[in-house]
Amino acid sequence: MEHLNVLIFSASFGAGHVRAAEAIIEALRAKDPNVKITHLDFGAFLSKTFNSVVKNTYIELIKHTPRLWGKFYYRTSKIPPDSLFQRFLNGLGRREFVRFIQVLQPDLVICTYPTVAGVLAQQRLRGVLNVPLVTVVTDYAVHSQWIHPGVDHYIVGCEDVYKGLVARGINPQTIHISGIPVSPKFEFKLDRRMILQKLTMNPELPTVLVMGGAYGVLGGAKWICKILSEAAIPLQTIVVCGQDEKLYKALDSLVEDCKNPLVRFGFVNNVEELMSAADIIITKAGGLTVSEALTKRLPLVIFKPIPGQEEENACYLEKIGAGRAADNEEGLEKIIFSLLRHPEAVEQMRRAAAQAVPGRAAERAVEGILRLVEERRSAQRIG
């Protein structure tokens, strides 16, 4: 196969969309080191001001008024493709996107963010865009923003999403259940003891990883760290604060004077190592964080999932038996200390994760994408 020219659109409104795109890029380069890849941020492509306003609004909304976001999410979850709202979204940057693609002349376009997929799918149906369009669904739930008749190929994380797309009229032959793509580095088994020793932590102690997301949207993170640091059960905690500088500074007293060891980080690039070192993770239910933890066979505890896609992702985790969700402080304490007292329950959750997510998601997603390209090229040669 000749070297591909691939255009990938993600969006920094949620870090998971970017991580999914990067995982696809890694897997593509593993197949062909000479592949040409152009990776663009949907929002920044339209306008840096637009991108900044939407991104900040989204973060503030889910931080301070999550119920409002939930109402918006569920009210738009089943809107038809020809609705006024969808037509408005499909018009965002239409001319700019088409003009850019016509100049770049990619062999295919991959979208890990739904809005840009809708814009391009409409142009695909009209014949303006004449290259295959692939959508990577980065959640374990079905929402109308992911569903566009002009998309040639869907990458989905589980059978439930597959069935949801089929129920809404998508051709089953265009849907590939590969798992949500995560970086191949999450596939490798790492030495837990060595990682903990590098962190100057005790390999013999149960280890809890607390992650608030890139923008620190895990509510009650300081309180969670406090109950862990003061717990009667011997344990140790790793906290990833991301870009939440306020949380990082708020943990000063806990780091200096706590019964149980606590190590904190800001933004990190070695999440796969920290997940390998942990026995359980307390986190938000973003699609990529969930997928990365499942790939590492790491049991998840979700605290106050944000209404909308995170709530749906948490429900999926509970359904497969690889995670538990708590809506309040009392429920969270009960779940955490029950798991720490019963390591056999933790092991059962690890097995559930392994069964639900067999691994190699990015590699299998790329295999499906490459088959689509080869089929198109074969058809063109025959034609």
Side-chain angles (χ1 to χ4, degrees):
M1 179 182 289
E2 61 185 86
H3 301 308
L4 286 178
N5 181 10
V6 182
L7 173 59
I8 300 181
F9 283 106
S10 63
S12 57
F13 304 147
H17 301 294
V18 177
R19 299 212 303 276
E22 291 172 344
I24 291 287
I25 291 170
E26 283 187 75
L28 279 169
R29 292 200 191 285
K31 289 284 185 182
D32 178 8
N34 296 311
V35 62
K36 180 181 178 182
I37 298 174
T38 304
H39 180 195
L40 297 176
D41 182 337
F42 163 69
F45 184 85
L46 291 178
S47 159
K48 290 184 178 180
T49 302
F50 171 86
N51 189 44
S52 179
V53 169
V54 173
K55 180 175 167 181
N56 292 335
T57 300
Y58 172 72
I59 293 170
E60 290 302 310
L61 198 61
I62 61 176
K63 267 188 175 182
H64 304 296
T65 54
R67 289 185 180 180
L68 184 60
W69 167 256
K71 287 182 179 180
F72 174 78
Y73 176 89
Y74 288 114
R75 286 180 180 177
T76 59
S77 66
K78 294 183 179 180
I79 61 172
D82 60 347
S83 68
L84 183 62
F85 179 67
Q86 191 60 60
R87 290 202 303 271
F88 164 73
L89 291 178
N90 289 348
L92 289 174
R94 180 180 62 234
R95 293 179 181 176
E96 290 83 356
F97 285 125
V98 171
R99 190 180 301 118
F100 182 86
I101 291 170
Q102 288 174 341
V103 172
L104 185 66
Q105 294 189 330
D107 295 300
L108 78 153
V109 181
I110 302 172
C111 302
T112 65
Y113 187 68
T115 304
V116 66
V119 175
L120 299 180
Q122 186 181 65
Q123 301 310 303
R124 187 85 174 99
L125 287 175
R126 292 178 175 177
V128 177
L129 181 65
N130 61 0
V131 297
L133 177 63
V134 177
T135 291
V136 181
V137 181
T138 58
D139 286 305
Y140 293 95
V142 178
H143 190 282
S144 63
Q145 282 307 293
W146 287 112
I147 302 169
H148 306 290
V151 171
D152 296 277
H153 191 77
Y154 288 90
I155 299 294
V156 302
C158 64
E159 189 174 355
D160 285 358
V161 175
Y162 168 88
K163 290 179 179 177
L165 293 180
V166 172
R168 299 207 193 180
I170 301 301
N171 182 351
Q173 294 182 349
T174 66
I175 310 170
H176 183 195
I177 308 175
S178 68
I180 295 176
V182 302
S183 170
K185 65 186 178 183
F186 285 88
E187 307 285 353
F188 301 114
K189 187 172 182 179
L190 304 178
D191 189 322
R192 175 183 184 272
R193 178 174 290 272
M194 187 178 296
I195 294 169
L196 288 171
Q197 288 174 342
K198 186 171 66 173
L199 296 173
T200 65
M201 303 183 80
N202 186 351
E204 306 303 326
L205 282 178
T207 304
V208 179
L209 174 60
V210 180
M211 288 185 60
Y215 304 106
V217 292
L218 176 66
K222 183 182 177 181
W223 171 82
I224 293 170
C225 294
K226 189 173 188 297
I227 65 165
L228 291 172
S229 68
E230 297 175 351
I233 301 175
L235 60 88
Q236 57 194 359
T237 305
I238 301 171
V239 188
V240 178
C241 302
Q243 298 179 23
D244 192 340
E245 295 180 5
K246 184 178 179 181
L247 172 62
Y248 189 92
K249 292 178 181 177
L251 297 177
D252 283 347
S253 59
L254 294 182
V255 173
E256 294 168 3
D257 183 24
C258 58
K259 178 180 179 181
N260 294 314
L262 184 148
V263 175
R264 64 179 167 176
F265 298 96
F267 184 84
V268 299
N269 291 310
N270 65 332
V271 172
E272 76 284 357
E273 291 186 2
L274 302 182
M275 285 187 173
S276 295
D279 294 288
I280 61 174
I281 180 172
I282 305 170
T283 185
K284 62 194 288 291
L288 264 292
T289 298
V290 166
S291 300
E292 289 162 355
L294 289 175
T295 302
K296 296 301 294 182
R297 315 301 184 235
L298 178 61
L300 295 103
V301 179
I302 308 301
F303 184 47
K304 293 184 179 179
I306 297 168
Q309 66 269 39
E310 292 196 8
E311 196 170 57
E312 297 292 331
N313 292 339
C315 288
Y316 170 74
L317 285 172
E318 292 190 312
K319 177 181 176 180
I320 64 174
R324 299 184 186 178
D327 293 321
N328 54 52
E329 287 81 0
E330 182 181 357
L332 181 66
E333 285 192 73
K334 184 177 179 180
I335 291 172
I336 293 171
F337 296 122
S338 174
L339 289 175
L340 292 173
R341 290 190 181 99
H342 299 92
E344 70 279 5
V346 174
E347 185 57 35
Q348 186 176 355
M349 293 171 76
R350 288 187 183 277
R351 290 195 296 269
Q355 186 174 359
V357 180
R360 296 177 48 247
E363 181 182 342
R364 290 188 291 132
V366 165
E367 288 171 355
I369 291 169
L370 294 180
R371 280 197 299 271
L372 174 69
V373 174
E374 184 56 34
E375 288 169 4
R376 173 182 168 82
R377 286 178 171 175
S378 297
Q380 288 176 334
R381 285 193 293 266
I382 294 172

